[in-house]
Amino acid sequence: MATTASFIIVSRNDIPIYEAEVGSATKREDAAQLHQFVLHAALDIVQDLAWTTSAMFLKNIDRFNDLVVSVYVTAGHTRLMLLHDSRNDDGIKSFFQEVHELYIKVNFLQLGCSVHVLVFHLSIVEKN
Amino acid sequence: MEEYPEELRTPPVTLISLVGCPELHALISSHLHSEQPPINTLALPDFSKISVIFSDKSSDGKAASASDPSSPTPGILKRDWLLKHRTKVPAVLAALFNSEQISGDPAQWIQVCTDLENLRNVIRPKNIKLVVVVVVPATFFASSNDDLISEDRMAALRKRAELDAKHIVFFNSGDELQLKESLNKLGSTFAELATTYYREEGRRIKTRVEKKNFSSIELNIRNCFKVAVHAEFRRDWVEALRFYEDAYHLLRQMVSTSTRLPVIQRLVEIKIVAEQLHFKISTLLLHGGKIADAIAWFRKHNASYRNLVGPPGVVFMHWEWMSRQFLVFAELLETSSKAIQSISGPASNTAEKLTEWEFQPAYYYQLAANYLKEKRNALELAQQSEEAAGGIDGSAESVAPSVYVGQFSRLLEQENVLAMQPLTDEEYTRYSIAEGKRFQDSFEIIALLKKSHESFSGIKAKRMGSLCAFQMAKEYYTVADFTNAKQLLDDVASLYRSEGWVTLLWEALGYVRECARRAGMVKEFVEYSLEMAALPVSSDTSVQSFDSKDCGPAGPPSLAQRENIHKEVFSLVSGEVGSVSIGDNLDLQTACNGPLHLEIDLVSPLRVVLLASVAFHEQIIKPGVPALITVSLLSQLPMNVDIDQLELQFNQSECNFIIMNSQRPASTDGRQGRRVERAPSLSLVTHKWLRLTYEVQSELSGKLECIYVVAKMRSLLTICCRAESPASMDDLPLWRFEDRVQTFPTKDPALAFSGQKAAQVEEADPQVDLVLGATGPALVEECFLVPVTVTSKGHSVFSGELKVNLVDVKGGGLFSPREVEPLSSDSSHHVQLLGVSSTDTEDDPQVASSKIMKIQQSFGLVSVPFLKDGESWSCKLEIKWNRPKPIMLFVSLGYFPDVNELSSQKVHVHKSLQIEGKTGIVISHQFMLPFHQYPLLLSKQSPSLPMNEASVLVVSTKNCSEVPLELQSMSIDMDDDHERLYTLQHGGGGAEDMLGISHLMPGAEFRKVFTIVPEVESSSLVLGSVALRWRRKSETQEACVLTKYKLPDVNIELPPLVVRQECPPYAILGDPFAYVLRIKNQTKLLQEVKFSLGDAQSFVLAGSHTDSTFILPKSEHVVSYKIVPLCSGMQQLPRVTVTSVRYSAAFQPSVAASTVFVFPSKPHFQIAAAADAENKELEPVATE
């Protein structure tokens, strides 16, 4: 997958419900903040785009220096957003699909219970 | 974009030159300028000037070109080349001669030839095209110009000028039409020749490019540029674009190959030339409507130069250059999208997908601002190192742009001659740093971001807009404009807060907190600090935080940082000095000496700091009985907080109480007369509810609500927190998705779901009886009495008030305004409260006069006199029904059990009673004619009565109620404004209408017969109304009720004919009897009457069956039959039909009237003779 990436799940009412710095790049706290600014601003584009297409996977909707933002919009309008720098569209798409599946499973088991969140987190880190 | 020279910003315009005949220059140049495409004109008044201008420049050009092959090219593009070709080198030279000069004497002709020769010498090296314009005098009107100048002279002119005939143009300004033709001719000739010129020039250079016969890559680029410019001159945009692109690509290759200049200056030159080429390319693409291509091109441009940062000392130049690229492209995009209006969608053919933002100028403005910020940072570094190296000398002052684009050199003045001296990189760097100091980058950055912010807000991209606003605020913060920064940050923070982006909120709050600190706003500083300390930021300590410049003043979001902020703010409010690094701002410390009061309401972001939930254990509490209340406090602050004192404030202020922390020294201020409780510990632990249960007691009935929980911490901080009910408490929005254990504010989970911060305090139980004694249903129109008795049983009654309400049982009002009642239009209520009569007749008149009594139609207020314990008082409510309707009577008694009204509380007793209203009396009437008498009434109106004849009116009254009634009298009264126009006789005998006492049992009927003899003829005779006086039959003498019944108006007319039928009351079988019809003519006319008699099976009759006769005026005709009955029993007499011919009216007696009973034999009555005799006199009453 991507060499450096910031992953965030945004609920239907625009609240981030999960965030993670994934990938092999050096973890820098300030970079995480910067990434969040980029991802938050990209929500503006998503809200316009999401209603114009039936596709769930919206690739490269925004750019920030070398990084691009890809989004996966679920049917419930939860948005899985990834800031990444590689061009591996297929890999990102399959990552999104797997996370979506996982998200549905965890949701089913009621997100909020710490065990499930932990499982979720570990699974996502594993996917990278 | 404004800083570019104009010749670069605008597309090239063809230039031509005019020589001679200066009076025409203005006319021709204005015409050419308005042509499409326009042509600029360089006007030279006479031929002597031409050599000066051209010779100078051409020799210079020759010198430059001569030096080309031998020495290396000193630069890529000449700074003034483009300007020269737009303003000084014309494509066409037009020599204007008067026709007299050509056709005139030899001396003039020779002058013309000389001028032409000179011109040709000047323009030949530059291939400028020549046009000779022969100006025809205005007075010349010949049809052909050939007449003006001889053929020979024209041929000579052509030869001298070496021109085709078509390039010798006659200019005739004789009249308007000719002038216009001449101007058009000139325009088209110029345009054609100019295109030829530029094409030839372009081709000449292009050949050079294609043959690659030049020594350096610089020349190659320059030639490509020239070809492109020439192509632009002749509006060949495709070729222009192609050659600009070629030049651009060649230039990019130069970066690694060129060694001509020192490394910094080389890079600067390349970038500036690239910038110009890119500008040209973008402009051409955008003007061609290829927005997507332009954006893709910009992206490539950005990508290929972004990493060409250059040596470390001059990085700022690179960022400045980058910023300018974005700014210029944003401006280009803005102007072109305004011109094109509709932005074409992302082009599908571009290799990489363009994002939506890349079509927005705001995106580029924002990035321009970002790069400018980079530039500022780099410049600061460069300045520091420069100062450290020994300061800046004054040598930068004489540096100026050199002849070539992107090059700088030192100006040296030697013996009044300016000379250019190349710079070393060090000198150039110093010059650039000195130049960079002159600009206030922050204001530029703010302006760019503001533009971007407004633009993004305009397209409803609020998040992008707030990102810009945030960056703007950071910039304001940098220049210490804290007011503006705080204003922007507050907006930004509220967006992040509402969307729950905690990390971003942390950043924003970090800045705004610093703003508050610097501006000395203590309260705000404390609020922001507390909010930050309570944010659910990542507590992942494994991530090593870098103290990077990208981090805000609050540092990276972490638990440690939260704890630092927590400690800082609490040491500030506790007045400790020196423990935290707030000492750098004296204002904050001095301002913090006073107490600090924070308010937290339901929407405050500080709810995370302190959340107060208050629950009464019981929803309804008795007055004076202690009730349990639980106060729960929750804080998300990272460290434990000790509360000194907690005050609960209720809407009933006497219930307020204070909870003191036993571990803290008690202070006595501000709690005089308050209840004080002590708690062993008031320590708030993170994420854990602090639960306190106390008793509260209220004496006043009504709502008891806890409004505020005021927590006092340390010496200065007071937090006033609005109390919330656990049942309706919202979750903390930012902590909702956090991984924490869900806890309840109360120990009892049921209370946590249903607890309320308010409870209802009941009233004291009343000790007074209120009795409504009403018997049976009420009757319409009677004054129904409802006795009300108030009996004291334990309480004395002070200031008692009795409220009476009548309410419709079925809902809706007691009156309907739609129903218009003529009789009682003033009182439209169906049920009315007439009054209240007190039975207590022994009342002191003074007391009685002080009574309050308000009576309205459905509402009454009666004051109750003072009653001691055991006394009673009663009154009667008088209610009248106008319509049968059930109502609900509500009576409520409010009183004070104590003489002191202020201290005691009012007690209420309520009683209600449903009362039916029923119709008691129903009156009906009936008109009847006298026996066997039939007047002919001509009108169809009903009811109609004959004039001067006696008619019978039967009025019947029925008791519909369930109680016996007494009838007092019945009469027919006239209304006040009507006169009685008939004679009235009572059937009961005489004019006496009193009935004596006549009892009417339930369901029984009473009838009275009146005889009416109308005396006038009228279409509507008013009969008046029946007035019936009645009352309930009871022991007590109740008042009479008068019920009125309106009789209908009747039609009175004089019948023309009256038929009387005479026959015996009974017949005997076989015994003949007479059947007589008397027809009376009451008119003054002769009346023809036909009559016929039908056959009847039971009778044999003698007399004519049909006949007609004439009746004289005012006389009577008698038709007589003799009839013998053949059957016994009730028999139908033969039917008689009388027809009046004049009135076409037939008359037939009714079946009932023409029936007779036939005895089989003569009856023998065994009754006493006296009775017989009476019987004979008895008038049989027939009922129809």
Side-chain angles (χ1 to χ4, degrees):
Chain A
M1 235 195 67
T3 50
T4 178
S6 184
F7 176 65
I8 202 157
I9 300 180
V10 181
S11 77
R12 54 178 303 158
N13 42 9
D14 300 332
I15 298 176
I17 51 176
Y18 175 82
E19 54 194 70
E21 288 289 307
V22 290
S24 53
T26 327
K27 286 186 176 177
R28 281 183 47 171
E29 194 84 350
D30 62 299
Q33 267 164 267
L34 205 58
H35 292 169
Q36 285 214 12
F37 274 115
V38 174
L39 287 172
H40 181 256
L43 277 178
D44 279 334
I45 301 185
V46 180
Q47 77 180 19
D48 290 346
L49 267 185
W51 304 109
T52 58
T53 172
S54 60
M56 294 172 106
F57 178 50
L58 311 170
K59 63 177 180 185
N60 303 357
I61 59 153
D62 197 7
R63 310 164 58 85
F64 172 73
N65 292 343
D66 290 331
L67 303 173
V68 290
V69 179
S70 292
V71 181
Y72 188 86
V73 185
T74 70
H77 208 64
T78 299
R79 282 143 293 174
L80 317 179
M81 303 179 82
L82 189 69
L83 185 71
H84 58 96
D85 68 347
S86 77
R87 301 275 175 271
N88 183 5
D89 284 341
D90 291 339
I92 286 163
K93 192 174 182 180
S94 64
F95 167 74
F96 273 140
Q97 281 164 347
E98 282 172 44
V99 172
H100 186 205
E101 202 172 309
L102 207 59
Y103 173 75
I104 290 168
K105 272 185 204 164
V106 173
N107 242 353
F108 187 66
L109 297 168
Q110 286 186 337
L111 193 71
C113 170
S114 56
V115 176
H116 293 133
V117 174
L118 192 63
V119 169
F120 186 65
H121 184 75
L122 290 176
S123 312
I124 284 189
V125 172
E126 208 174 81
K127 294 242 178 288
N128 297 294
Chain B
M1 200 159 74
E2 281 79 15
E3 56 198 52
Y4 289 163
E6 205 214 324
E7 68 267 16
L8 191 66
R9 276 190 281 140
T10 52
V13 179
T14 306
L15 183 71
I16 63 122
S17 185
L18 300 175
V19 194
C21 294
E23 69 278 4
L24 293 172
H25 288 186
L27 180 71
I28 296 172
S29 35
S30 64
H31 170 76
L32 293 178
H33 198 76
S34 62
E35 283 278 273
Q36 200 52 252
I39 297 174
N40 281 346
T41 314
L42 182 66
L44 302 171
D46 60 64
F47 290 87
S48 57
K49 297 277 185 300
I50 184 93
S51 56
V52 178
I53 293 171
F54 284 108
S55 63
D56 180 28
K57 292 288 163 191
S58 58
S59 65
D60 188 31
K62 271 175 193 163
S65 61
S67 64
D68 271 351
S70 56
S71 63
T73 321
I76 303 169
L77 295 181
K78 278 198 176 167
R79 195 176 292 279
D80 58 351
W81 184 85
L82 193 54
L83 186 67
K84 189 176 84 185
H85 276 264
R86 289 193 50 172
T87 58
K88 288 183 182 159
V89 182
V92 182
L93 183 69
L96 279 74
F97 295 105
N98 277 320
S99 59
E100 291 95 353
Q101 283 178 286
I102 296 168
S103 63
D105 56 21
Q108 284 178 318
W109 171 243
I110 287 168
Q111 180 61 39
V112 169
C113 293
T114 316
D115 287 341
L116 278 175
E117 191 59 34
N118 285 340
L119 279 180
R120 284 183 44 223
N121 285 338
V122 167
I123 63 177
R124 190 173 297 128
K126 290 189 164 287
N127 290 328
I128 295 171
K129 303 294 171 196
L130 181 66
V131 175
V132 172
V133 181
V134 180
V135 180
V136 179
T139 50
F140 182 72
F141 290 108
S143 58
S144 163
N145 291 321
D146 298 342
D147 301 344
L148 189 68
I149 302 170
S150 66
E151 188 63 33
D152 293 349
R153 195 50 72 82
M154 282 299 290
L157 183 65
R158 278 200 292 275
K159 199 180 168 201
R160 284 278 174 187
E162 295 177 2
L163 286 175
D164 287 347
K166 64 175 181 177
H167 293 147
I168 297 179
V169 182
F170 285 90
F171 187 84
N172 194 337
S173 58
D175 58 14
E176 207 166 293
L177 190 71
Q178 282 176 326
L179 177 66
K180 202 173 176 187
E181 265 179 23
S182 303
L183 284 173
N184 284 343
K185 181 82 196 300
L186 270 186
S188 60
T189 311
F190 288 157
E192 182 197 328
L193 282 174
T195 311
T196 317
Y197 167 77
Y198 289 124
R199 186 183 300 120
E200 283 173 0
E201 282 294 292
R203 192 174 293 148
R204 191 169 57 84
I205 307 168
K206 201 154 77 178
T207 323
R208 263 193 263 165
V209 172
E210 281 159 2
K211 286 183 178 165
K212 302 190 189 297
N213 58 349
F214 30 74
S215 53
S216 64
I217 193 164
E218 283 93 343
L219 273 182
N220 197 357
I221 295 168
R222 188 189 297 171
N223 285 330
C224 284
F225 180 75
K226 284 180 178 175
V227 175
V229 171
H230 282 121
E232 271 201 280
F233 267 120
R234 56 174 204 277
R235 314 199 142 232
D236 184 352
W237 312 123
V238 178
E239 184 167 301
L241 190 62
R242 185 155 60 88
F243 276 88
Y244 279 132
E245 286 183 12
D246 284 352
Y248 183 89
H249 291 310
L250 285 169
L251 186 68
R252 184 67 185 81
Q253 290 166 13
M254 250 185 81
V255 174
S256 51
T257 56
S258 171
T259 53
R260 178 169 39 84
L261 283 170
V263 61
I264 295 177
Q265 292 181 62
R266 188 200 316 155
L267 204 56
V268 168
E269 185 189 13
I270 289 172
K271 278 186 194 165
I272 293 181
V273 174
E275 182 180 348
Q276 285 201 358
L277 291 174
H278 167 70
F279 176 76
K280 275 288 176 192
I281 294 167
S282 301
T283 315
L284 284 174
L285 284 172
L286 287 171
H287 284 202
K290 298 172 187 165
I291 292 184
D293 288 345
I295 292 168
W297 176 266
F298 178 75
R299 198 193 262 189
K300 262 189 248 165
H301 172 58
N302 181 19
S304 54
Y305 280 92
R306 191 171 54 214
N307 296 327
L308 285 181
V309 180
V314 289
V315 180
F316 71 92
M317 284 195 242
H318 173 69
W319 295 130
E320 185 184 13
W321 181 85
M322 283 294 283
S323 166
R324 200 164 57 237
Q325 303 311 298
F326 278 90
L327 172 64
V328 167
F329 191 70
E331 285 170 346
L332 273 180
L333 201 58
E334 199 167 32
T335 46
S336 65
S337 60
K338 264 181 210 157
I340 294 175
Q341 288 295 325
S342 63
I343 294 177
S344 57
S348 52
N349 56 353
T350 47
E352 217 176 323
K353 200 183 137 211
L354 297 174
T355 69
E356 202 179 307
W357 287 154
E358 285 180 274
F359 287 88
Q360 299 292 341
Y363 173 75
Y364 299 96
Y365 281 126
Q366 186 219 349
L367 287 170
N370 279 353
Y371 282 115
L372 205 53
K373 221 183 280 180
E374 292 279 353
K375 177 233 163 176
R376 189 192 52 201
N377 296 341
L379 182 62
E380 276 167 13
L381 278 180
Q383 278 171 352
Q384 283 165 8
S385 59
E386 185 76 11
E387 275 163 21
I392 299 163
D393 57 9
S395 62
E397 284 166 10
S398 55
V399 174
S402 82
V403 183
Y404 289 95
V405 170
Q407 286 188 15
F408 294 84
S409 55
R410 184 187 303 265
L411 272 181
L412 289 178
E413 196 173 347
Q414 289 172 336
E415 296 160 5
N416 295 335
V417 178
L418 288 172
M420 296 285 192
Q421 191 190 22
L423 291 169
T424 61
D425 264 0
E426 288 73 31
E427 286 170 332
Y428 179 68
T429 309
R430 277 202 293 276
Y431 162 73
S432 308
I433 293 175
E435 279 291 297
K437 269 184 177 175
R438 286 169 46 213
F439 296 101
Q440 292 272 12
D441 287 330
S442 288
F443 295 111
E444 183 73 14
I445 294 168
I446 290 170
L448 287 172
L449 286 170
K450 188 174 267 178
K451 223 170 187 178
S452 180
H453 170 65
E454 282 164 5
S455 179
F456 275 125
S457 305
I459 55 169
K460 301 226 162 31
K462 57 177 181 179
R463 297 180 187 93
M464 221 34 218
S466 56
L467 179 58
C468 294
F470 183 45
Q471 287 172 341
M472 214 174 0
K474 283 208 284 202
E475 216 46 50
Y476 275 124
Y477 176 79
T478 318
V479 298
D481 183 350
F482 299 119
T483 323
N484 275 325
K486 188 173 168 297
Q487 199 180 344
L488 286 167
L489 285 167
D490 278 335
D491 291 347
V492 171
S494 75
L495 175 74
Y496 292 149
R497 195 181 286 133
S498 69
E499 298 197 342
W501 287 68
V502 176
T503 318
L504 309 187
L505 180 59
W506 170 274
E507 272 293 290
L509 286 175
Y511 274 99
V512 72
R513 170 174 174 265
E514 283 308 304
C515 287
R517 186 212 294 267
R518 301 282 180 85
M521 296 186 264
V522 183
K523 191 181 172 201
E524 280 81 356
F525 175 74
V526 172
E527 280 178 349
Y528 294 130
S529 302
L530 286 175
E531 186 183 354
M532 279 183 86
L535 279 184
V537 292
S538 150
S539 57
D540 186 4
T541 47
S542 67
V543 177
Q544 276 297 315
S545 62
F546 285 68
D547 197 7
S548 162
K549 62 184 165 59
D550 289 337
C551 252
S558 65
L559 184 62
Q561 204 64 30
R562 281 173 59 199
E563 286 174 354
N564 284 342
I565 293 173
H566 178 107
K567 282 180 203 156
E568 185 183 0
V569 71
F570 275 93
S571 65
L572 178 71
V573 295
S574 58
E576 294 168 26
V577 184
S579 62
V580 203
S581 59
I582 54 163
D584 52 347
N585 194 317
L586 287 172
D587 288 344
L588 198 59
Q589 272 185 19
T590 48
C592 194
N593 285 336
L596 202 57
H597 186 81
L598 303 185
E599 285 213 19
I600 302 178
D601 59 12
L602 300 183
V603 290
S604 164
L606 293 180
R607 274 182 82 221
V608 286
V609 175
L610 187 63
L611 181 64
S613 140
V614 175
F616 278 93
H617 289 217
E618 304 290 335
Q619 286 311 298
I620 294 169
I621 54 183
K622 298 266 181 203
V625 178
L628 286 176
I629 185 169
T630 294
V631 186
S632 317
L633 298 174
L634 180 69
S635 170
Q636 304 290 359
L637 288 173
M639 298 163 86
N640 293 359
V641 180
D642 276 332
I643 297 173
D644 297 346
Q645 147 182 342
L646 205 60
E647 182 178 354
L648 265 72
Q649 294 183 351
F650 294 86
N651 62 342
Q652 299 181 8
S653 58
E654 52 273 22
C655 294
N656 294 0
F657 65 95
I658 294 171
I659 306 167
M660 301 291 297
N661 190 345
S662 311
Q663 295 168 347
R664 294 271 168 171
S667 62
T668 50
D669 54 327
R671 52 188 174 95
Q672 290 81 15
R674 303 271 180 86
R675 195 178 119 210
V676 177
E677 300 280 351
R678 290 203 169 270
S681 163
L682 284 179
S683 180
L684 277 176
V685 182
T686 312
H687 307 325
K688 207 174 161 200
W689 285 99
L690 169 68
R691 304 185 184 113
L692 303 162
T693 303
Y694 288 98
E695 284 181 345
V696 65
Q697 181 176 336
S698 168
E699 300 293 341
L700 288 176
S701 69
K703 194 177 180 191
L704 178 64
E705 182 181 7
C706 181
I707 298 175
Y708 291 108
V709 176
V710 184
K712 239 182 196 178
M713 299 171 185
R714 311 298 163 99
S715 52
L716 299 173
L717 181 63
T718 312
I719 299 180
C720 180
C721 199
R722 192 169 266 276
E724 299 185 38
S725 303
S728 56
M729 192 164 60
D730 287 333
D731 209 352
L732 295 172
L734 294 177
W735 284 89
R736 189 178 299 155
F737 296 105
E738 292 305 312
D739 181 19
R740 64 194 168 118
V741 181
Q742 188 76 35
T743 50
F744 296 118
T746 53
K747 270 180 194 163
D748 177 11
L751 197 60
F753 287 114
S754 64
Q756 295 289 344
K757 61 171 177 174
Q760 196 68 33
V761 182
E762 283 188 330
E763 278 184 0
D765 286 335
Q767 295 184 2
V768 168
D769 265 0
L770 181 66
V771 180
L772 304 180
T775 50
L779 300 180
V780 173
E781 299 210 321
E782 78 170 329
C783 180
F784 188 70
L785 296 179
V786 181
V788 179
T789 312
V790 179
T791 312
S792 167
K793 288 180 176 174
H795 272 167
S796 300
V797 176
F798 292 94
S799 313
E801 265 184 357
L802 208 58
K803 283 181 192 163
V804 182
N805 264 301
L806 301 182
V807 178
D808 192 345
V809 170
K810 290 171 191 161
L814 282 174
F815 63 95
S816 55
R818 260 182 284 172
E819 231 172 283
V820 182
E821 293 174 64
L823 282 175
S824 56
S825 58
D826 55 337
S827 59
S828 54
H829 276 63
H830 292 173
V831 185
Q832 276 175 282
L833 181 66
L834 293 180
V836 181
S837 62
S838 172
T839 51
D840 199 355
T841 49
E842 293 165 17
D843 262 351
D844 191 345
Q846 281 181 344
V847 177
S849 65
S850 69
K851 272 186 183 175
I852 309 162
M853 191 183 281
K854 281 182 192 164
I855 303 293
Q856 286 171 4
Q857 283 176 324
S858 61
F859 174 77
L861 184 68
V862 185
S863 72
V864 178
F866 165 66
L867 295 179
K868 279 187 216 145
D869 185 12
E871 285 183 340
S872 74
W873 173 86
S874 66
C875 67
K876 282 185 176 170
L877 308 179
E878 296 166 6
I879 306 171
K880 186 179 176 189
W881 270 257
N882 292 322
R883 284 272 185 284
K885 200 177 188 87
I887 59 139
M888 187 62 92
L889 170 69
F890 288 100
V891 178
S892 69
L893 171 71
Y895 69 96
F896 289 97
D898 197 349
V899 70
N900 188 353
E901 293 182 8
L902 290 174
S903 66
S904 69
Q905 208 172 5
K906 214 167 188 181
V907 183
H908 289 97
V909 194
H910 306 278
K911 276 283 155 68
S912 63
L913 181 67
Q914 184 173 347
I915 306 173
E916 291 282 331
K918 290 194 170 170
T919 311
I921 290 282
V922 176
I923 302 174
S924 58
H925 76 279
Q926 197 178 7
F927 288 107
M928 291 172 74
L929 294 173
F931 185 63
H932 280 187
Q933 186 169 326
Y934 310 101
L936 173 64
L937 297 176
L938 294 173
S939 75
K940 301 289 175 207
Q941 203 181 329
S942 171
S944 292
L945 297 179
M947 199 174 88
N948 295 332
E949 302 277 342
S951 298
V952 176
L953 171 67
V954 180
V955 179
S956 37
T957 304
K958 191 175 178 187
N959 180 359
C960 297
S961 71
E962 287 152 3
V963 289
L965 301 176
E966 273 179 22
L967 299 187
Q968 302 254 315
S969 68
M970 184 193 274
S971 61
I972 294 179
D973 298 340
M974 294 306 292
D975 301 332
D976 296 339
D977 48 350
H978 290 288
E979 201 185 335
R980 180 172 285 173
L981 298 172
Y982 59 92
T983 316
L984 180 72
Q985 292 170 345
H986 289 269
E992 187 59 55
D993 60 354
M994 287 302 285
L995 301 170
I997 292 177
S998 139
H999 297 292
L1000 197 61
M1001 298 314 282
E1005 206 172 343
F1006 170 82
R1007 288 183 190 176
K1008 188 166 176 182
V1009 179
F1010 299 91
T1011 307
I1012 289 171
V1013 184
E1015 289 158 354
V1016 288
E1017 193 171 351
S1018 161
S1019 62
S1020 61
L1021 181 75
V1022 178
L1023 290 180
S1025 49
V1026 177
L1028 176 70
R1029 285 187 169 73
W1030 57 276
R1031 65 181 180 211
R1032 278 172 189 252
K1033 190 185 173 193
S1034 64
E1035 301 301 318
T1036 55
Q1037 286 294 312
E1038 283 188 40
C1040 267
V1041 182
L1042 172 68
T1043 303
K1044 286 217 164 195
Y1045 175 78
K1046 173 95 174 74
L1047 290 169
D1049 295 348
V1050 291
N1051 178 38
I1052 308 297
E1053 61 186 54
L1054 187 68
L1057 296 173
V1058 178
V1059 180
R1060 282 201 184 79
Q1061 186 187 355
E1062 286 178 12
C1063 75
Y1066 61 89
I1068 294 156
L1069 193 67
D1071 215 5
F1073 64 91
Y1075 182 49
V1076 180
L1077 288 174
R1078 294 175 187 277
I1079 305 166
K1080 187 176 179 190
N1081 179 5
Q1082 303 204 90
T1083 61
K1084 291 176 180 170
L1085 304 167
L1086 184 70
Q1087 296 282 356
E1088 184 185 358
V1089 170
K1090 289 181 181 170
F1091 53 89
S1092 65
L1093 193 69
D1095 279 329
Q1097 283 185 338
S1098 317
F1099 297 96
V1100 178
L1101 62 92
S1104 59
H1105 263 77
T1106 53
D1107 198 2
S1108 71
T1109 180
F1110 290 92
I1111 309 173
L1112 292 174
K1114 302 283 178 194
S1115 65
E1116 197 177 58
H1117 179 78
V1118 179
V1119 185
S1120 178
Y1121 296 98
K1122 209 66 166 177
I1123 296 180
V1124 183
L1126 299 178
C1127 299
S1128 61
M1130 212 55 168
Q1131 297 299 338
Q1132 180 75 48
L1133 286 167
R1135 300 291 296 276
V1136 182
T1137 308
V1138 181
T1139 309
S1140 162
V1141 176
R1142 182 182 294 275
Y1143 304 110
S1144 304
F1147 159 76
Q1148 200 168 32
S1150 65
V1151 176
S1154 53
T1155 310
V1156 72
F1157 189 80
V1158 182
F1159 286 101
S1161 60
K1162 193 173 171 66
H1164 298 283
F1165 296 107
Q1166 299 297 324
I1167 314 162
D1172 262 351
E1174 270 184 29
N1175 274 345
K1176 276 176 190 168
E1177 281 180 21
L1178 193 74
E1179 256 180 74
V1181 177
T1183 52
E1184 285 182 27

